[in-house]
Amino acid sequence: MASLLAARRALRAGVERSRALSHALARAGPRLGEIRARLPPMEAAVRPIRAPRDALEGAGECVDRAVGPAAAVLKVFDAVHGLEPPLLAASAAADDLPGYLAVLSRLEEALHFLSDNCGIASQWLADIVEYLGDRSLADPRFVSDLAEALSHLKTPSANLDGGLLAAALDILEAEFRRLLTEHSAPLAMKEPNNSSDPGSITPPRIPASAVHKLSLILDRLAANGRLGTCTAAYADARGDTVSASLRALGLDYLHDPAEDAQVLTPNVEHWGRHLEFAVRHLLEAERKLCVAVFERRPEAASSCFAEIASRAGILDFLKFGRAICDARKDPIKLLRLLDVFDSLSKLRMDFNRLFGGKACVEIQTRTRELVKRVVDGSVEIFEELLVQVELQRNMPPPADGGVPRIVSFVAKYCNQLLGDPYRSVLTQVLVIHRSWRKETFNDKMLVDAVLNIVKALEANFEAWSKAYEDVTLSYLFMMNTHWHFFKHLKGTKMGEILGDEWLREHEQYKDYYSAVFLRESWGTLAPLLSREGIILFSKGRATARDLVKQRLKSFNANFDEMYQKQSAWIISDRDLQQKTCHLVVQAIVPVYRSFMQNYGPLVDQQDASANKYVKFTAEGLDKMLSTLFLPKPRRAGSFQIRHSNGKITSAMTGLYRSSSTLK
């Protein structure tokens, strides 16, 4: 029993030990898994210990040489990360632009350092990894993972800063636009005039402090490849501002020009003033502003200014000048073309200075084309004036004996061409045109050409006078026309050139035709009231009465006929009309009054037939004759032009419009 009990105790103790061992093994299983997992890294870690000593010593030197630059790169990365708060603050650039740019400069320097060193440091680290792998000094998987990570750092990337530089540049762009918007409001414009002071016309532009800020921002943005964005934003803001400022002056006429030179006249005057104002004040200021903002980038300044000038409408101004060249041919058009040329000539130096670069080639081309068309068009009209005046010789004169419109027009027109400012401008145009043909021209040739026009018009007088069937009307016409020439050219530039003798000849012609007209018309009535044969004694009283009746009847008939006919005639000049009427009255009324005083009673005694012979009183004749030759209202009209080929056209109808249309 004792032995059995001992065996039972031994078995029980063995079972308990087995259970304890089983529980211990169950608890040790996870720990064994952990140990198993740690074995490879531990093996890799202890591998260098098992490596040859000389290999480990060589690797240490290489590692030390690569870790230094890599540590420096990591420090710079840490510095870049520290710049994020000041650079990404919303109002940092607006509140302290110099400080913001200083921080941005530090970022750019850091990125420049990273760009130069990151690739080198990563290459050195890659060489060490390769060295360790070749000599089995590190775990292959670790070496492979490290090599893959380093491969992304071998080539410098724009994202080394994680997009911080791009975000900072976006903030600068926004500040650039804000400054432009804040200082680019349209100006409160007034219509410029010749007496305006340019200093008072152009108000202050962008303040110098804002210009300095724009220039600083532009430098940083341009250095980072954003110059194009800046120029576009600048051109948008300033171009729209100048355009809006000019529109306030009322430039609608630039876009819908008329085809008639006379209708264009007031717009041409506005055009010249507006163009000068736009070029010399607005665009001049914009050019200076561009140069100040794009100080170190002249090419960008030129291209930006060209865009501003285009948006401001400089091409619209040139297009309007082209429309004047395309207007219907008309002598008035010559004056308007000379106005255009004069405006362009005055601005020639300004155009060359402002629009001389490659960026403004379109403006240069359009300007040259306009100048050529203006010169060619002016010369064409001027050279045709003489031909047109000569062609009028075959046209009928005014039916009322008045001064033909062409006479009034040419007298005033030629005086304008030889006066200020057209004489010098026309001479300049003709000199340029002749130079293109390798010919010469001078002021004396211009004077001679205008004198030929006047002489051709004088030659027309005789031809027109012969066209009248009534010779007395031709006398009235010649009196009218010669007096008009004398009065409207005396004391003028044209009159000075023609000379006093030439003017006196026209005055003498007027006096001659006035005398002939009176003698051949109203002078024929006084002899009808002759006293010859009238005897008032008793034996001849009846005969005298018959003679008085006969002579009054003849006088009345001739007077009625002449008065009726000449009531449709006119004398254009008021003074000449009054003087001529006075001479007519003096030639008839005193004779009639005397005749009636002496012989009127012979007729008055016969009450039944008195009114048949005594139709007028002396006072009535005076009133009737004093109202003769008064100009009648004329309908607006023009003569026709006959070309040398015999065809009639209205291409230059303005040559015959009233001279009052000349400006």
Side-chain angles (χ1 to χ4, degrees), residues 649-661:
T649 179
S650 59
M652 295 182 66
T653 54
L655 179 61
Y656 313 100
R657 297 176 185 175
S658 171
S659 59
S660 62
T661 61

Side-chain angles (χ1 to χ4, degrees), residues 55-120:
L56 290 175
E57 291 177 353
E61 295 177 0
C62 293
V63 170
D64 291 342
R65 202 165 44 243
V67 167
V73 169
L74 290 176
K75 288 182 180 180
V76 174
F77 270 114
D78 290 339
V80 169
H81 181 70
L83 297 178
E84 288 186 7
L87 287 178
L88 297 181
S91 61
D95 295 340
D96 182 14
L97 181 62
Y100 189 87
L101 292 175
V103 176
L104 180 61
S105 179
R106 290 168 56 192
L107 174 62
E108 291 175 332
E109 291 175 0
L111 293 179
H112 181 70
F113 177 85
L114 292 176
S115 177
D116 291 342
N117 295 280
C118 187
I120 297 175

Side-chain angles (χ1 to χ4, degrees), residues 258-326:
E259 296 182 358
D260 191 321
Q262 296 202 62
V263 177
L264 282 170
T265 294
N267 288 338
V268 173
E269 295 174 355
H270 293 318
W271 177 85
R273 292 199 305 271
H274 291 161
L275 178 61
E276 180 179 0
F277 181 76
V279 170
R280 289 187 171 173
H281 301 300
L282 294 181
L283 292 180
E284 177 71 28
E286 290 300 323
R287 176 68 176 181
K288 292 179 180 178
L289 187 58
C290 273
V291 171
V293 174
F294 297 84
E295 182 178 3
R296 285 175 286 278
R297 293 168 178 81
E299 292 186 1
S302 297
S303 62
C304 194
F305 174 73
E307 181 66 20
I308 291 172
S310 178
R311 292 183 181 223
I314 190 67
L315 294 177
D316 291 334
F317 279 99
L318 299 177
K319 184 179 179 181
F320 180 82
R322 176 68 177 267
I324 298 173
C325 297
D326 294 337

Side-chain angles (χ1 to χ4, degrees), residues 44 161 274-275 281 284 343 361 508 560 570 572-573 616:
D161 62 343
H274 291 161
L275 178 61
H281 301 300
E284 177 71 28
S343 296
V361 63
Q508 292 169 0
D560 285 340
I570 67 169
S572 305
D573 183 76
F616 309 103

Side-chain angles (χ1 to χ4, degrees), residues 343-354:
S343 296
L344 294 175
S345 179
K346 290 177 181 177
L347 297 173
R348 182 172 61 88
M349 299 301 295
D350 302 275
F351 265 70
N352 290 340
R353 184 180 68 259
L354 295 178

Side-chain angles (χ1 to χ4, degrees), residues 96 105 113 154 177 193 196 234 260 301 324 341 349 426 442 452 456 473 484 514-515 522 530 586 636 641 644 660:
D96 182 14
S105 179
F113 177 85
K154 288 182 180 179
R177 294 176 186 275
N193 54 64
S196 297
Y234 187 92
D260 191 321
I324 298 173
F341 182 87
M349 299 301 295
L426 181 55
N442 54 50
N452 288 336
L473 180 56
H484 182 88
S514 176
W522 297 101
S530 171
Q586 292 301 313
I641 293 294
S644 55
S660 62

Side-chain angles (χ1 to χ4, degrees), residues 116 215 228 235 273 286 311 469 540 555 559 617 624-625 642:
D116 291 342
S215 182
R273 292 199 305 271
E286 290 300 323
R311 292 183 181 223
E469 295 181 1
F555 174 84
F559 180 88
T617 63
M624 291 174 65
L625 295 174
R642 183 177 298 277

